[in-house]
Amino acid sequence: MHALVYTGIKELVYREEKNPKVINGESIVKVSASGICGSDMHAYHGKDNRRIPPLILGHEISGIIDKGKFAGKKVILNPLITCRKCDYCSSGREHLCIKRIILGMNKPIERQGGFAEYVSIPNQNIYELPKTLEMKEAPIAEPTAVALHAVELGEKKLSKSLKDSKALVIGGGAIGLLSGLILSKVKDCKEIVIVDPNEKRLGECSKYLNAVSVKPDSKSIIANHFDIVFDTVGMEVTRQQAINVVKPGGVIIHIGLTHPSGRFDFRKATLQEITFIGTYCYTNEDFEKTLDILANKKIGSLAWIEYRKLNEGASAFQQIHDGTCSSPKIILLI
Amino acid sequence: MHALVYTGIKELVYREEKNPKVINGESIVKVSASGICGSDMHAYHGKDNRRIPPLILGHEISGIIDKGKFAGKKVILNPLITCRKCDYCSSGREHLCIKRIILGMNKPIERQGGFAEYVSIPNQNIYELPKTLEMKEAPIAEPTAVALHAVELGEKKLSKSLKDSKALVIGGGAIGLLSGLILSKVKDCKEIVIVDPNEKRLGECSKYLNAVSVKPDSKSIIANHFDIVFDTVGMEVTRQQAINVVKPGGVIIHIGLTHPSGRFDFRKATLQEITFIGTYCYTNEDFEKTLDILANKKIGSLAWIEYRKLNEGASAFQQIHDGTCSSPKIILLI
C-alpha cells in the first residue's frame, strides 16, 4: 500500500509499505481521510518519545471496512485502544487505562497509523459513520471528542453554569477552536475570548466562532477575570497567562503538551484556590456523544477544515510548521 | 497591653503596645490562647509580603469578650474577615472574597493579630466556645478548618469514596497531621501514608494518626500509586513528589506556600489527567463544621499540641525554625 511515513525529524516520505495483517478481533479499514493532529506535529519535531521513526502517524481516521465482519460499511475510528478489563476501563474512564495505546504510535507497542491506504483496528473501536456527516470531514470526530471531554471536565468543576461563565481559550488550533465551538454552541457560553499569535488563524476562527479573537498581548485579556481558561498550547508562557487571568476559585483546563515542564505561579494557585486539570483524550461515552454532536451539526459549519492529498502530506506538515497555513485543521484524503 | 511584636526578619520582641480601639460592629477580645501557624513562620522568615514588620502576628485565637455585646463569653475567632457583599461572599465562598483580610496581617489593610493581650474582631467572626473544648486547645479550630476544607475539596473531585482511596500526606506539621486525622477519623480513609524528613515530628504524628509514617525517600512511597496527595509543604521538591506518586486520574491538594514558583511535570498532569487544586482557608460553613468536629472529639486527643507562654514566644519561633521542636503545633498562652 501507499503510506506517508515519518522517517526522521521534519522528514516524511510517501512510499510503498506492507499492508497491515488481519488480526483476530480486528478489521482492516481502507482509509478515506486522516487528520493531522498537534501530537503528529510534536512527533514530526522529534519531541514525542512514544512516536519514534520510522512510523506511519495519524489517528483521526474515517474509511470503509475492507476486511472484517462489517466489510463495506462506512466508519469512523476511535483510535484509543484500551484493555477493557482494568479498574479504569470498567468504570468508564477508559482513557486512563494503563495499557492504552493509540494508532500511529510505536512505544511501548507498535500500532501503525492512518496516513496510509489501510489500517488495522479492533472491532470495538469502530463506529458507523452518521449519514449526515461527510466521510472526508469525519476525522474531526477525534479532536472534537478531546475538546468535549475537556469542556465537560471544566463544567463539572466550575461553581456556576458555563452559560454564565467567562471563558478564555488559548490557542486557535483545532482543539482551541473546537473547545470554543462546544462552549458556544453546545454549552451556550456567551463570553468567550480566543487568543493566538497567528493573525491568519485568528481570522479563520472568527469566521466560525462567536468570540472575541485577539493576540496574546491584547487588553481584552484581563488579569483575574476568567472563570475558566483552556490552555490548548501548553507552553510555559501560555500556562503563565492562564494562571494570571483566571479568577479566584476558577479553573484551568490544560490540554497542550508543547513544554513538558516550566515555571508556574503556585502561590496564586494556592491563595486563590485555582483548580488546574490536565486532560488528554476522551472516554468511549465522550466519543459517542461527539458523533451525535457532529451528526446533528451542533457545532455548525466545518468549512474551516482544509483538505490535501496524502501524497502532499509532507508539504502540509511543512506549512503547519512554518505557520503559513491558516486553517486550524488539515485532513489528508487518501 | 503586652504583645509579641514581629519587628524584623527572625526577630520578635515582647513589649508594651497600645490597646486596640473599640470599633462599631466589633468586639475587643481578651486573648487566652493563640497558635503559631506556618504562615506566621513564613512572615518570620521575611517571605510574606502581606505581613511587614512591625506587626503583631497570630490568627488562631481563643479568648473572652472584654468589650462588646457579649462581654464575658468564652469564644473562638474566625480570623478571616470578608466583605459579606460580593459574589463570593453571597455564594458561600467567603474565603475567596477579593477584600478578605486576616488578623495578623498589615497589607493591604492593617489588622493586628492575636499574639497580644487584646485583639479587635468583627462580631460576626466570633463563635461561642463549645463546652467540651478547652480554651487553651481552641485555637486549633482554625488550622482544622483549613484541613477540613482541603480534604473536602479533594473528596468532591475524587472519582471514588475517600474510604476506598489511598492517600499520601506530605508534611507532618499541623495541617498535615490534621488533614490525616480528618481523612482517618472523619472520612474513614484506611490507607494513609504521612511523610516528613523530621523524625521527631513523624514520631509525634504516629502516636495519634493511624498511618504509615515515613521519611520522603521511603519505599512506601510508590510512583503512580495514590488516589489523592496532600502537599501541605509547597516546596518544589514536595510538588515533584506529589505529581510523581499520584495515580492517573488522581488529585493533588496543594496547601503549602513555601516555594511560590518552581518546575512541575505538566506532561504527566496532562497525559494522566491529574487535577491540582490550590486551597487556602475555609468557608464560614467549614468553620462551623470544624467546631462540631472538635466539640465532639471526632479527631481524637489533642495532646500533640505544645503550650508556651506569650513572653516565651520568640524562643518558640526559634525552635520551630531550627527544627528542634517535635510538636506539630505550638499554642502561646497569654
Side-chain angles (χ1 to χ4, degrees):
Chain A
M1 64 175 183
H2 287 102
L4 183 73
V5 185
Y6 167 48
T7 50
I9 293 179
K10 294 190 205 163
E11 195 180 79
L12 290 160
V13 180
Y14 183 70
R15 71 185 187 194
E16 200 61 30
E17 287 285 307
K18 279 185 189 162
N19 277 31
K21 284 182 189 156
V22 179
I23 301 167
N24 199 15
E26 302 210 356
S27 296
I28 304 288
V29 173
K30 184 169 192 331
V31 179
S32 300
S34 196
I36 301 175
C37 172
S39 59
D40 294 319
M41 291 308 299
H42 213 59
Y44 179 74
H45 291 125
K47 290 188 174 163
D48 190 339
N49 57 14
R50 303 168 302 171
R51 294 172 167 104
I52 306 299
L55 174 69
I56 304 172
L57 298 169
H59 55 271
E60 304 172 1
I61 304 164
S62 65
I64 296 170
I65 298 185
D66 181 62
K67 287 181 187 131
K69 211 171 158 187
F70 298 104
K73 264 213 179 325
K74 292 181 177 178
V75 296
I76 300 179
L77 308 190
N78 175 347
L80 192 66
I81 302 165
T82 59
C83 79
R84 307 220 157 209
K85 289 174 196 159
C86 71
D87 283 356
Y88 293 111
C89 285
S90 51
S91 63
R93 305 174 93 195
E94 305 86 1
H95 63 305
L96 301 176
C97 171
I98 302 293
K99 293 185 177 168
R100 74 182 179 204
I101 48 177
I102 299 182
L103 292 186
M105 276 192 189
N106 52 5
K107 298 287 167 188
I109 291 165
E110 185 179 289
R111 268 281 172 187
Q112 297 292 339
F115 295 144
E117 286 184 273
Y118 296 94
V119 71
S120 182
I121 181 101
N123 291 330
Q124 58 263 32
N125 287 59
I126 300 175
Y127 292 81
E128 196 171 347
L129 181 76
K131 286 190 183 116
T132 53
L133 190 58
E134 281 186 52
M135 180 69 99
K136 69 173 188 175
E137 296 170 336
I140 207 67
E142 204 273 349
T144 308
V146 171
L148 179 72
H149 183 73
V151 168
E152 293 195 340
L153 270 183
E155 187 177 33
K156 277 178 210 143
K157 187 65 186 73
L158 273 179
S159 59
K160 55 182 170 179
S161 163
L162 276 173
K163 282 186 191 179
D164 305 316
S165 295
K166 295 183 183 75
L168 176 69
V169 177
I170 302 178
I175 300 295
L177 176 56
L178 285 164
S179 297
L181 290 171
I182 288 166
L183 283 167
S184 170
K185 293 179 186 278
V186 180
K187 303 294 179 182
D188 201 21
C189 177
K190 292 165 198 80
E191 290 190 59
I192 305 173
V193 177
I194 188 163
V195 58
D196 198 292
N198 183 332
E199 271 189 53
K200 281 188 185 175
R201 266 191 173 182
L202 277 182
E204 274 301 292
C205 287
S206 66
K207 284 186 205 164
Y208 300 91
L209 176 64
N210 187 13
V212 176
S213 307
V214 293
K215 290 189 149 195
D217 58 356
S218 161
K219 285 179 185 163
S220 309
I221 309 172
I222 304 159
N224 305 309
H225 180 72
F226 295 92
D227 297 288
I228 185 158
V229 180
F230 294 82
D231 182 352
T232 73
V233 179
M235 292 171 73
E236 186 167 10
V237 67
T238 57
R239 281 191 288 266
Q240 283 171 352
Q241 180 164 58
I243 186 74
N244 180 45
V245 303
V246 71
K247 254 186 174 172
V251 178
I252 298 171
I253 299 293
H254 190 262
I255 328 179
L257 287 168
T258 312
H259 290 163
S261 185
R263 299 181 77 78
F264 188 71
D265 184 354
F266 290 101
R267 185 170 172 84
K268 175 172 173 181
T270 306
L271 289 176
Q272 305 300 349
E273 203 166 287
I274 306 304
T275 299
F276 178 100
I277 307 180
T279 168
Y280 180 71
C281 289
Y282 37 78
T283 66
N284 292 348
E285 194 189 333
D286 294 326
F287 201 83
E288 287 158 27
K289 273 162 101 174
T290 299
L291 294 184
D292 179 69
I293 285 171
L294 292 172
N296 292 292
K297 310 286 176 200
K298 287 186 191 165
I299 58 165
S301 165
L302 298 173
W304 45 271
I305 301 171
E306 263 189 45
Y307 300 93
R308 309 281 173 89
K309 288 181 186 158
L310 182 63
N311 62 9
E312 295 162 359
S315 72
F317 271 78
Q318 180 65 45
Q319 286 171 26
I320 297 171
H321 166 75
D322 293 342
T324 52
C325 166
S326 63
S327 172
K329 175 60 72 183
I330 294 182
I331 289 178
L332 302 178
L333 303 178
I334 289 88
Chain B
M1 65 175 182
H2 287 104
L4 183 73
V5 185
Y6 167 47
T7 50
I9 294 179
K10 294 189 205 167
E11 194 180 79
L12 290 160
V13 180
Y14 184 70
R15 71 186 188 193
E16 199 62 29
E17 286 286 307
K18 280 185 189 161
N19 277 31
K21 284 182 189 156
V22 180
I23 301 167
N24 199 15
E26 302 210 357
S27 296
I28 304 289
V29 173
K30 185 169 191 330
V31 179
S32 301
S34 197
I36 302 175
C37 172
S39 59
D40 295 318
M41 291 308 299
H42 214 58
Y44 178 75
H45 293 125
K47 289 188 175 166
D48 189 338
N49 56 15
R50 304 169 301 171
R51 295 172 167 104
I52 307 299
L55 173 69
I56 303 172
L57 298 168
H59 55 271
E60 304 172 1
I61 304 165
S62 65
I64 296 170
I65 297 184
D66 181 63
K67 288 182 187 130
K69 210 171 157 187
F70 298 104
K73 265 215 176 326
K74 291 180 177 177
V75 295
I76 300 179
L77 307 189
N78 175 346
L80 192 66
I81 302 166
T82 59
C83 79
R84 307 221 156 209
K85 289 173 196 159
C86 71
D87 283 355
Y88 293 111
C89 285
S90 52
S91 63
R93 304 175 92 195
E94 305 86 359
H95 62 305
L96 301 177
C97 171
I98 303 292
K99 293 185 177 168
R100 74 181 179 203
I101 47 177
I102 298 182
L103 293 185
M105 276 192 190
N106 51 7
K107 298 287 167 186
I109 291 164
E110 184 179 291
R111 269 280 171 186
Q112 297 292 340
F115 295 144
E117 285 183 274
Y118 297 95
V119 70
S120 182
I121 181 99
N123 291 330
Q124 58 263 32
N125 287 60
I126 300 174
Y127 291 81
E128 197 172 348
L129 180 76
K131 286 192 181 111
T132 53
L133 189 59
E134 280 186 53
M135 180 69 100
K136 69 174 188 174
E137 296 170 337
I140 207 67
E142 205 273 346
T144 308
V146 170
L148 179 71
H149 182 74
V151 169
E152 294 195 339
L153 270 183
E155 186 178 33
K156 277 178 210 144
K157 188 65 186 74
L158 274 178
S159 60
K160 56 181 171 180
S161 162
L162 275 173
K163 282 185 191 179
D164 304 316
S165 295
K166 296 183 183 74
L168 175 70
V169 177
I170 302 177
I175 300 294
L177 176 57
L178 285 164
S179 297
L181 290 171
I182 288 166
L183 283 167
S184 169
K185 293 178 185 279
V186 179
K187 304 293 180 182
D188 202 20
C189 177
K190 292 165 197 79
E191 290 190 59
I192 305 173
V193 176
I194 188 164
V195 58
D196 198 293
N198 183 331
E199 271 189 52
K200 281 188 185 174
R201 265 191 173 182
L202 277 183
E204 274 301 293
C205 287
S206 66
K207 284 186 205 164
Y208 301 91
L209 176 63
N210 186 13
V212 176
S213 307
V214 292
K215 289 190 150 193
D217 58 357
S218 160
K219 285 179 184 165
S220 310
I221 309 173
I222 304 159
N224 305 310
H225 180 74
F226 294 93
D227 298 287
I228 186 160
V229 179
F230 294 82
D231 182 353
T232 72
V233 179
M235 291 171 73
E236 188 168 9
V237 67
T238 57
R239 282 191 288 265
Q240 283 172 351
Q241 181 163 57
I243 186 74
N244 179 45
V245 302
V246 71
K247 254 186 175 173
V251 178
I252 297 171
I253 299 293
H254 189 263
I255 329 180
L257 287 168
T258 311
H259 291 163
S261 186
R263 298 181 78 80
F264 187 71
D265 185 353
F266 289 101
R267 186 170 172 85
K268 175 172 174 181
T270 305
L271 289 176
Q272 305 301 349
E273 203 167 288
I274 306 304
T275 299
F276 177 100
I277 307 180
T279 168
Y280 179 72
C281 289
Y282 36 77
T283 66
N284 292 347
E285 194 188 332
D286 295 326
F287 201 84
E288 287 157 28
K289 273 162 101 174
T290 299
L291 294 183
D292 178 69
I293 285 171
L294 292 172
N296 291 292
K297 310 286 178 201
K298 288 185 190 165
I299 57 165
S301 164
L302 298 173
W304 45 271
I305 302 171
E306 262 189 47
Y307 300 93
R308 308 281 174 89
K309 289 182 186 159
L310 182 64
N311 62 10
E312 295 161 359
S315 72
F317 271 77
Q318 180 65 47
Q319 285 171 27
I320 297 171
H321 166 75
D322 292 343
T324 52
C325 165
S326 64
S327 172
K329 175 60 73 182
I330 295 182
I331 290 178
L332 303 178
L333 303 178
I334 287 91

